mmCIF file of all heavy atoms in Angstrom:
data_model
loop_
_atom_site.group_PDB
_atom_site.id
_atom_site.type_symbol
_atom_site.label_atom_id
_atom_site.label_comp_id
_atom_site.label_asym_id
_atom_site.label_seq_id
_atom_site.Cartn_x
_atom_site.Cartn_y
_atom_site.Cartn_z
ATOM 1 N N CYS A 778 -3.615 -83.470 46.837
ATOM 2 C CA CYS A 778 -2.392 -83.388 47.636
ATOM 3 C C CYS A 778 -2.781 -83.106 49.074
ATOM 4 O O CYS A 778 -3.642 -82.282 49.339
ATOM 5 C CB CYS A 778 -1.480 -82.283 47.109
ATOM 6 S SG CYS A 778 0.060 -82.094 48.023
ATOM 7 N N PHE A 779 -2.141 -83.781 50.001
ATOM 8 C CA PHE A 779 -2.493 -83.640 51.407
ATOM 9 C C PHE A 779 -1.226 -83.624 52.229
ATOM 10 O O PHE A 779 -0.366 -84.481 52.078
ATOM 11 C CB PHE A 779 -3.388 -84.788 51.856
ATOM 12 C CG PHE A 779 -3.821 -84.699 53.291
ATOM 13 C CD1 PHE A 779 -4.816 -83.829 53.671
ATOM 14 C CD2 PHE A 779 -3.220 -85.487 54.254
ATOM 15 C CE1 PHE A 779 -5.226 -83.755 54.984
ATOM 16 C CE2 PHE A 779 -3.614 -85.417 55.576
ATOM 17 C CZ PHE A 779 -4.619 -84.549 55.928
ATOM 18 N N ILE A 780 -1.077 -82.625 53.096
ATOM 19 C CA ILE A 780 0.029 -82.562 54.031
ATOM 20 C C ILE A 780 -0.548 -82.678 55.427
ATOM 21 O O ILE A 780 -1.430 -81.923 55.812
ATOM 22 C CB ILE A 780 0.815 -81.238 53.892
ATOM 23 C CG1 ILE A 780 1.393 -81.117 52.475
ATOM 24 C CG2 ILE A 780 1.929 -81.170 54.925
ATOM 25 C CD1 ILE A 780 2.103 -79.813 52.244
ATOM 26 N N CYS A 781 -0.079 -83.650 56.180
ATOM 27 C CA CYS A 781 -0.612 -83.920 57.510
ATOM 28 C C CYS A 781 0.334 -83.368 58.560
ATOM 29 O O CYS A 781 1.534 -83.616 58.519
ATOM 30 C CB CYS A 781 -0.799 -85.416 57.713
ATOM 31 S SG CYS A 781 -1.368 -85.826 59.369
ATOM 32 N N ILE A 782 -0.191 -82.587 59.492
ATOM 33 C CA ILE A 782 0.571 -82.081 60.627
ATOM 34 C C ILE A 782 -0.174 -82.493 61.881
ATOM 35 O O ILE A 782 -1.333 -82.140 62.069
ATOM 36 C CB ILE A 782 0.716 -80.554 60.571
ATOM 37 C CG1 ILE A 782 1.408 -80.137 59.261
ATOM 38 C CG2 ILE A 782 1.508 -80.057 61.777
ATOM 39 C CD1 ILE A 782 1.478 -78.635 59.094
ATOM 40 N N PHE A 783 0.453 -83.243 62.751
ATOM 41 C CA PHE A 783 -0.204 -83.720 63.950
ATOM 42 C C PHE A 783 -0.323 -82.585 64.969
ATOM 43 O O PHE A 783 0.630 -81.867 65.234
ATOM 44 C CB PHE A 783 0.584 -84.870 64.581
ATOM 45 C CG PHE A 783 0.361 -86.152 63.885
ATOM 46 C CD1 PHE A 783 1.327 -86.671 63.053
ATOM 47 C CD2 PHE A 783 -0.836 -86.828 64.041
ATOM 48 C CE1 PHE A 783 1.103 -87.857 62.392
ATOM 49 C CE2 PHE A 783 -1.060 -88.020 63.394
ATOM 50 C CZ PHE A 783 -0.090 -88.528 62.561
ATOM 51 N N LEU A 784 -1.518 -82.462 65.555
ATOM 52 C CA LEU A 784 -1.702 -81.555 66.674
ATOM 53 C C LEU A 784 -1.071 -82.122 67.929
ATOM 54 O O LEU A 784 -0.593 -81.401 68.791
ATOM 55 C CB LEU A 784 -3.207 -81.322 66.889
ATOM 56 C CG LEU A 784 -3.975 -80.774 65.676
ATOM 57 C CD1 LEU A 784 -5.453 -80.666 66.032
ATOM 58 C CD2 LEU A 784 -3.426 -79.441 65.244
ATOM 59 N N LEU A 785 -1.147 -83.440 68.045
ATOM 60 C CA LEU A 785 -0.548 -84.121 69.185
ATOM 61 C C LEU A 785 -0.085 -85.471 68.717
ATOM 62 O O LEU A 785 -0.802 -86.157 68.015
ATOM 63 C CB LEU A 785 -1.586 -84.302 70.305
ATOM 64 C CG LEU A 785 -1.155 -85.150 71.511
ATOM 65 C CD1 LEU A 785 -0.017 -84.474 72.256
ATOM 66 C CD2 LEU A 785 -2.343 -85.377 72.437
ATOM 67 N N PHE A 786 1.129 -85.844 69.058
ATOM 68 C CA PHE A 786 1.629 -87.153 68.667
ATOM 69 C C PHE A 786 2.462 -87.693 69.811
ATOM 70 O O PHE A 786 3.540 -87.209 70.078
ATOM 71 C CB PHE A 786 2.470 -87.044 67.392
ATOM 72 C CG PHE A 786 2.830 -88.384 66.818
ATOM 73 C CD1 PHE A 786 2.021 -88.968 65.861
ATOM 74 C CD2 PHE A 786 3.970 -89.047 67.234
ATOM 75 C CE1 PHE A 786 2.341 -90.200 65.329
ATOM 76 C CE2 PHE A 786 4.291 -90.281 66.699
ATOM 77 C CZ PHE A 786 3.482 -90.855 65.749
ATOM 78 N N LEU A 787 1.925 -88.687 70.502
ATOM 79 C CA LEU A 787 2.625 -89.318 71.606
ATOM 80 C C LEU A 787 2.803 -90.782 71.281
ATOM 81 O O LEU A 787 1.874 -91.439 70.835
ATOM 82 C CB LEU A 787 1.805 -89.192 72.902
ATOM 83 C CG LEU A 787 1.439 -87.777 73.347
ATOM 84 C CD1 LEU A 787 0.533 -87.857 74.555
ATOM 85 C CD2 LEU A 787 2.672 -86.973 73.654
ATOM 86 N N SER A 788 3.980 -91.311 71.480
ATOM 87 C CA SER A 788 4.213 -92.721 71.210
ATOM 88 C C SER A 788 5.040 -93.336 72.317
ATOM 89 O O SER A 788 5.860 -92.677 72.940
ATOM 90 C CB SER A 788 4.934 -92.889 69.866
ATOM 91 O OG SER A 788 6.216 -92.308 69.916
ATOM 92 N N PHE A 789 4.782 -94.606 72.547
ATOM 93 C CA PHE A 789 5.497 -95.341 73.579
ATOM 94 C C PHE A 789 5.886 -96.693 72.998
ATOM 95 O O PHE A 789 5.104 -97.308 72.290
ATOM 96 C CB PHE A 789 4.607 -95.552 74.806
ATOM 97 C CG PHE A 789 3.951 -94.292 75.282
ATOM 98 C CD1 PHE A 789 2.692 -93.939 74.802
ATOM 99 C CD2 PHE A 789 4.597 -93.453 76.165
ATOM 100 C CE1 PHE A 789 2.079 -92.777 75.233
ATOM 101 C CE2 PHE A 789 3.982 -92.293 76.607
ATOM 102 C CZ PHE A 789 2.718 -91.951 76.137
ATOM 103 N N GLY A 790 7.067 -97.174 73.309
ATOM 104 C CA GLY A 790 7.475 -98.485 72.831
ATOM 105 C C GLY A 790 8.401 -98.393 71.647
ATOM 106 O O GLY A 790 9.045 -97.382 71.400
ATOM 107 N N SER A 791 8.431 -99.484 70.865
ATOM 108 C CA SER A 791 9.462 -99.623 69.851
ATOM 109 C C SER A 791 9.158 -98.886 68.566
ATOM 110 O O SER A 791 10.066 -98.526 67.836
ATOM 111 C CB SER A 791 9.655 -101.105 69.529
ATOM 112 O OG SER A 791 8.461 -101.644 68.997
ATOM 113 N N LYS A 792 7.880 -98.669 68.241
ATOM 114 C CA LYS A 792 7.576 -98.113 66.938
ATOM 115 C C LYS A 792 6.247 -97.386 66.974
ATOM 116 O O LYS A 792 5.224 -97.948 67.314
ATOM 117 C CB LYS A 792 7.522 -99.224 65.876
ATOM 118 C CG LYS A 792 7.401 -98.700 64.458
ATOM 119 C CD LYS A 792 7.511 -99.840 63.478
ATOM 120 C CE LYS A 792 7.486 -99.320 62.043
ATOM 121 N NZ LYS A 792 7.557 -100.408 61.074
ATOM 122 N N ALA A 793 6.253 -96.122 66.614
ATOM 123 C CA ALA A 793 5.013 -95.349 66.544
ATOM 124 C C ALA A 793 4.499 -95.373 65.118
ATOM 125 O O ALA A 793 5.261 -95.402 64.171
ATOM 126 C CB ALA A 793 5.272 -93.908 66.980
ATOM 127 N N GLN A 794 3.194 -95.312 64.972
ATOM 128 C CA GLN A 794 2.585 -95.378 63.660
ATOM 129 C C GLN A 794 1.702 -94.164 63.459
ATOM 130 O O GLN A 794 0.939 -93.790 64.329
ATOM 131 C CB GLN A 794 1.717 -96.639 63.535
ATOM 132 C CG GLN A 794 2.488 -97.924 63.684
ATOM 133 C CD GLN A 794 3.446 -98.131 62.551
ATOM 134 O OE1 GLN A 794 3.136 -97.824 61.415
ATOM 135 N NE2 GLN A 794 4.605 -98.649 62.846
ATOM 136 N N SER A 795 1.769 -93.557 62.289
ATOM 137 C CA SER A 795 0.842 -92.495 61.949
ATOM 138 C C SER A 795 -0.319 -93.087 61.171
ATOM 139 O O SER A 795 -0.173 -94.079 60.475
ATOM 140 C CB SER A 795 1.543 -91.433 61.099
ATOM 141 O OG SER A 795 2.105 -92.011 59.943
ATOM 142 N N TYR A 796 -1.501 -92.469 61.261
ATOM 143 C CA TYR A 796 -2.698 -93.112 60.756
ATOM 144 C C TYR A 796 -2.719 -93.185 59.243
ATOM 145 O O TYR A 796 -3.489 -93.935 58.673
ATOM 146 C CB TYR A 796 -3.958 -92.390 61.255
ATOM 147 C CG TYR A 796 -4.180 -91.018 60.697
ATOM 148 C CD1 TYR A 796 -4.851 -90.850 59.502
ATOM 149 C CD2 TYR A 796 -3.750 -89.886 61.375
ATOM 150 C CE1 TYR A 796 -5.077 -89.595 58.982
ATOM 151 C CE2 TYR A 796 -3.978 -88.637 60.871
ATOM 152 C CZ TYR A 796 -4.638 -88.481 59.679
ATOM 153 O OH TYR A 796 -4.849 -87.239 59.183
ATOM 154 N N TYR A 797 -1.882 -92.412 58.569
ATOM 155 C CA TYR A 797 -1.912 -92.450 57.121
ATOM 156 C C TYR A 797 -0.841 -93.356 56.542
ATOM 157 O O TYR A 797 -0.595 -93.363 55.353
ATOM 158 C CB TYR A 797 -1.745 -91.039 56.536
ATOM 159 C CG TYR A 797 -0.505 -90.308 57.019
ATOM 160 C CD1 TYR A 797 0.714 -90.481 56.380
ATOM 161 C CD2 TYR A 797 -0.566 -89.451 58.107
ATOM 162 C CE1 TYR A 797 1.844 -89.825 56.823
ATOM 163 C CE2 TYR A 797 0.560 -88.788 58.547
ATOM 164 C CZ TYR A 797 1.753 -88.979 57.905
ATOM 165 O OH TYR A 797 2.867 -88.324 58.345
ATOM 166 N N ARG A 798 -0.168 -94.141 57.377
ATOM 167 C CA ARG A 798 0.839 -95.083 56.895
ATOM 168 C C ARG A 798 0.351 -96.499 57.196
ATOM 169 O O ARG A 798 0.278 -96.894 58.352
ATOM 170 C CB ARG A 798 2.192 -94.824 57.553
ATOM 171 C CG ARG A 798 2.793 -93.483 57.174
ATOM 172 C CD ARG A 798 3.980 -93.153 58.040
ATOM 173 N NE ARG A 798 5.063 -94.095 57.829
ATOM 174 C CZ ARG A 798 6.122 -94.143 58.630
ATOM 175 N NH1 ARG A 798 6.223 -93.354 59.674
ATOM 176 N NH2 ARG A 798 7.084 -95.013 58.386
ATOM 177 N N PRO A 799 0.007 -97.292 56.154
ATOM 178 C CA PRO A 799 -0.695 -98.559 56.380
ATOM 179 C C PRO A 799 0.207 -99.737 56.667
ATOM 180 O O PRO A 799 -0.135 -100.869 56.368
ATOM 181 C CB PRO A 799 -1.413 -98.759 55.035
ATOM 182 C CG PRO A 799 -0.484 -98.159 54.041
ATOM 183 C CD PRO A 799 0.135 -96.966 54.740
ATOM 184 N N GLU A 800 1.384 -99.535 57.251
ATOM 185 C CA GLU A 800 2.231 -100.678 57.515
ATOM 186 C C GLU A 800 1.742 -101.451 58.727
ATOM 187 O O GLU A 800 1.045 -100.943 59.590
ATOM 188 C CB GLU A 800 3.683 -100.236 57.718
ATOM 189 C CG GLU A 800 3.835 -99.210 58.821
ATOM 190 C CD GLU A 800 4.793 -98.109 58.431
ATOM 191 O OE1 GLU A 800 4.797 -97.725 57.270
ATOM 192 O OE2 GLU A 800 5.525 -97.640 59.319
ATOM 193 N N VAL A 801 2.109 -102.716 58.761
ATOM 194 C CA VAL A 801 1.695 -103.578 59.856
ATOM 195 C C VAL A 801 2.552 -103.288 61.082
ATOM 196 O O VAL A 801 3.761 -103.158 60.997
ATOM 197 C CB VAL A 801 1.836 -105.060 59.452
ATOM 198 C CG1 VAL A 801 1.449 -105.968 60.597
ATOM 199 C CG2 VAL A 801 0.974 -105.353 58.231
ATOM 200 N N MET A 802 1.916 -103.174 62.228
ATOM 201 C CA MET A 802 2.624 -102.788 63.433
ATOM 202 C C MET A 802 3.291 -103.964 64.122
ATOM 203 O O MET A 802 2.807 -105.080 64.064
ATOM 204 C CB MET A 802 1.656 -102.093 64.389
ATOM 205 C CG MET A 802 1.309 -100.693 63.938
ATOM 206 S SD MET A 802 -0.062 -100.011 64.865
ATOM 207 C CE MET A 802 -1.417 -100.881 64.117
ATOM 208 N N ASN A 803 4.408 -103.694 64.772
ATOM 209 C CA ASN A 803 5.122 -104.716 65.519
ATOM 210 C C ASN A 803 4.437 -104.964 66.859
ATOM 211 O O ASN A 803 3.597 -104.202 67.312
ATOM 212 C CB ASN A 803 6.568 -104.292 65.752
ATOM 213 C CG ASN A 803 7.345 -104.180 64.455
ATOM 214 O OD1 ASN A 803 7.111 -104.928 63.522
ATOM 215 N ND2 ASN A 803 8.264 -103.233 64.394
ATOM 216 N N ASN A 804 4.877 -106.038 67.515
ATOM 217 C CA ASN A 804 4.397 -106.294 68.858
ATOM 218 C C ASN A 804 5.085 -105.372 69.850
ATOM 219 O O ASN A 804 6.089 -104.724 69.551
ATOM 220 C CB ASN A 804 4.647 -107.757 69.222
ATOM 221 C CG ASN A 804 3.813 -108.711 68.379
ATOM 222 O OD1 ASN A 804 2.603 -108.567 68.285
ATOM 223 N ND2 ASN A 804 4.462 -109.684 67.763
ATOM 224 N N ASP A 805 4.548 -105.322 71.098
ATOM 225 C CA ASP A 805 5.085 -104.461 72.151
ATOM 226 C C ASP A 805 5.159 -103.005 71.692
ATOM 227 O O ASP A 805 6.203 -102.359 71.726
ATOM 228 C CB ASP A 805 6.471 -104.954 72.596
ATOM 229 C CG ASP A 805 6.393 -106.315 73.255
ATOM 230 O OD1 ASP A 805 5.413 -106.567 73.971
ATOM 231 O OD2 ASP A 805 7.300 -107.128 73.041
ATOM 232 N N THR A 806 4.044 -102.504 71.255
ATOM 233 C CA THR A 806 3.924 -101.144 70.754
ATOM 234 C C THR A 806 2.657 -100.519 71.314
ATOM 235 O O THR A 806 1.639 -101.188 71.471
ATOM 236 C CB THR A 806 3.837 -101.134 69.216
ATOM 237 O OG1 THR A 806 4.957 -101.804 68.669
ATOM 238 C CG2 THR A 806 3.809 -99.713 68.674
ATOM 239 N N SER A 807 2.707 -99.236 71.625
ATOM 240 C CA SER A 807 1.503 -98.501 72.004
ATOM 241 C C SER A 807 1.591 -97.101 71.435
ATOM 242 O O SER A 807 2.685 -96.582 71.176
ATOM 243 C CB SER A 807 1.340 -98.446 73.531
ATOM 244 O OG SER A 807 2.478 -97.874 74.140
ATOM 245 N N TRP A 808 0.451 -96.479 71.214
ATOM 246 C CA TRP A 808 0.452 -95.185 70.545
ATOM 247 C C TRP A 808 -0.834 -94.425 70.842
ATOM 248 O O TRP A 808 -1.875 -95.000 71.125
ATOM 249 C CB TRP A 808 0.618 -95.358 69.026
ATOM 250 C CG TRP A 808 -0.510 -96.067 68.367
ATOM 251 C CD1 TRP A 808 -1.570 -95.524 67.714
ATOM 252 C CD2 TRP A 808 -0.693 -97.487 68.297
ATOM 253 N NE1 TRP A 808 -2.408 -96.504 67.252
ATOM 254 C CE2 TRP A 808 -1.888 -97.719 67.584
ATOM 255 C CE3 TRP A 808 0.036 -98.586 68.763
ATOM 256 C CZ2 TRP A 808 -2.367 -98.988 67.346
ATOM 257 C CZ3 TRP A 808 -0.447 -99.858 68.521
ATOM 258 C CH2 TRP A 808 -1.630 -100.052 67.813
ATOM 259 N N ILE A 809 -0.729 -93.099 70.767
ATOM 260 C CA ILE A 809 -1.871 -92.187 70.852
ATOM 261 C C ILE A 809 -1.663 -91.125 69.783
ATOM 262 O O ILE A 809 -0.555 -90.595 69.642
ATOM 263 C CB ILE A 809 -1.986 -91.512 72.227
ATOM 264 C CG1 ILE A 809 -2.150 -92.550 73.338
ATOM 265 C CG2 ILE A 809 -3.168 -90.532 72.253
ATOM 266 C CD1 ILE A 809 -2.120 -91.948 74.735
ATOM 267 N N GLU A 810 -2.718 -90.820 69.028
ATOM 268 C CA GLU A 810 -2.590 -89.855 67.942
ATOM 269 C C GLU A 810 -3.819 -88.954 67.867
ATOM 270 O O GLU A 810 -4.943 -89.406 68.126
ATOM 271 C CB GLU A 810 -2.424 -90.569 66.599
ATOM 272 C CG GLU A 810 -1.216 -91.475 66.527
ATOM 273 C CD GLU A 810 -1.221 -92.359 65.298
ATOM 274 O OE1 GLU A 810 -2.165 -92.264 64.495
ATOM 275 O OE2 GLU A 810 -0.280 -93.149 65.145
ATOM 276 N N ILE A 811 -3.594 -87.722 67.503
ATOM 277 C CA ILE A 811 -4.671 -86.800 67.162
ATOM 278 C C ILE A 811 -4.278 -86.132 65.859
ATOM 279 O O ILE A 811 -3.126 -85.719 65.691
ATOM 280 C CB ILE A 811 -4.903 -85.737 68.250
ATOM 281 C CG1 ILE A 811 -5.356 -86.388 69.547
ATOM 282 C CG2 ILE A 811 -5.940 -84.713 67.790
ATOM 283 C CD1 ILE A 811 -5.573 -85.405 70.674
ATOM 284 N N GLY A 812 -5.194 -86.057 64.904
ATOM 285 C CA GLY A 812 -4.874 -85.459 63.617
ATOM 286 C C GLY A 812 -6.093 -84.901 62.936
ATOM 287 O O GLY A 812 -7.216 -84.981 63.452
ATOM 288 N N GLY A 813 -5.879 -84.326 61.776
ATOM 289 C CA GLY A 813 -6.961 -83.774 60.984
ATOM 290 C C GLY A 813 -6.831 -84.231 59.547
ATOM 291 O O GLY A 813 -5.758 -84.609 59.089
#
């Protein structure tokens, strides 16, 4: 079992993605993530 809490999560554009969600990203999207 794993619970993820982002230390920093910044997103810009239409859709932000977290690294543990494997969905395909849309166009015109940008993101920055830090996690453990």
Side-chain angles (χ1 to χ4, degrees):
C778 180
F779 181 77
I780 300 177
C781 177
I782 302 175
F783 281 105
L784 303 177
L785 173 65
F786 189 92
L787 303 175
S788 64
F789 310 91
S791 62
K792 188 174 184 181
Q794 298 293 321
S795 56
Y796 69 87
Y797 55 86
R798 294 169 65 191
E800 56 222 37
V801 178
M802 286 168 284
N803 295 326
N804 294 308
D805 295 323
T806 304
S807 57
W808 65 97
I809 300 174
E810 301 169 0
I811 296 179

